[in-house]
Amino acid sequence: FGNPIEKWLIALGIILGSFVLVKVIYWMFSNIFQKITSKTKNKLDDKLLRTLQKPITFLIIALAYLYAVKFLHFTSNTESILLNIAYLFIAVVLTSIISRIIDAVISEVVLPFSEKSETSFDNHLIPVIQKAVRAIVWSLGIGLGLDNIGFDITAMIAGLGIGGLSLTLEAPYSVTNFL
């Protein structure tokens, strides 16, 4: 690809440096942040610490990969593919982080608050809302990730709508023919 060996070594150093940084952050999460959050009264920070540890480390590795790819020179097609992989992975990791934050807030703040109410309707409705919000967040995150790498999301959504309509119109006839 025309990159001198020094640039390849620097890119490899960036990737390896990110793994070292991940180990340091894992240690910080396990030793420093966990001691700080264990002293607080609420459980939200403990849950956020546990659930965000892996996605944050994945984000660091993805950002290092992105920086290493941008540091090297490739043909435009190869560079586009490598950058699109990085952008999609970053979008998925950021979506995971947002989804985990929302889940933690709902399960540690909203759910205990609803359990104090006199009716049990809240207790049954909150998990459904939590799953719906999670589905919406993931749909938007994947959609934005695919849009960032060049897919035409509006055509995909229109295709899903047309496919759903045709399935709905054809389903009764298919069932009667099957029986």
Side-chain angles (χ1 to χ4, degrees), residues 1-169:
F1 294 106
N3 290 307
I5 192 75
E6 295 87 23
K7 287 203 174 211
W8 283 104
L9 290 174
I10 291 172
L12 181 65
I14 291 169
I15 299 292
L16 292 176
S18 72
F19 285 113
V20 171
L21 182 61
V22 162
K23 288 292 185 185
V24 168
I25 289 178
Y26 252 70
W27 181 84
M28 288 173 59
F29 269 88
S30 300
N31 295 322
I32 297 172
F33 298 144
Q34 191 171 17
K35 289 178 184 175
I36 293 171
T37 59
S38 66
K39 294 178 182 175
T40 61
K41 291 181 182 178
N42 65 6
K43 295 179 184 177
L44 178 63
D45 53 358
D46 297 324
K47 183 160 185 160
L48 284 173
L49 187 70
R50 278 192 319 270
T51 60
L52 293 180
Q53 185 174 3
K54 284 185 182 179
I56 288 174
T57 56
F58 286 145
L59 183 63
I60 291 168
I61 292 171
L63 290 173
Y65 168 77
L66 176 67
Y67 185 70
V69 168
K70 284 188 174 188
F71 185 76
L72 296 171
H73 298 288
F74 297 101
T75 61
S76 63
N77 191 28
T78 304
E79 186 173 354
S80 174
I81 290 170
L82 294 173
L83 288 176
N84 284 342
I85 290 169
Y87 293 144
L88 185 61
F89 189 67
I90 289 170
V92 167
V93 171
L94 287 175
T95 302
S96 174
I97 289 171
I98 292 169
S99 175
R100 288 171 186 235
I101 290 172
I102 292 172
D103 277 348
V105 168
I106 290 174
S107 65
E108 296 298 326
V109 176
V110 177
L111 196 58
F113 183 72
S114 71
E115 288 174 351
K116 293 178 184 176
S117 68
E118 295 177 6
T119 63
S120 65
F121 181 71
D122 296 345
N123 298 344
H124 297 293
L125 188 62
I126 299 289
V128 174
I129 292 173
Q130 184 177 12
K131 289 178 184 176
V133 169
R134 187 182 309 137
I136 291 169
V137 166
W138 275 102
S139 298
L140 289 174
I142 298 296
L144 287 172
L146 290 174
D147 189 44
N148 281 342
I149 64 172
F151 282 93
D152 188 13
I153 299 301
T154 55
M156 291 175 121
I157 293 172
L160 289 173
I162 292 170
L165 179 65
S166 67
L167 183 66
T168 304
L169 293 175

Side-chain angles (χ1 to χ4, degrees), residues 169-178:
L169 293 175
E170 192 61 37
Y173 301 113
S174 299
V175 171
T176 57
N177 288 338
F178 184 70

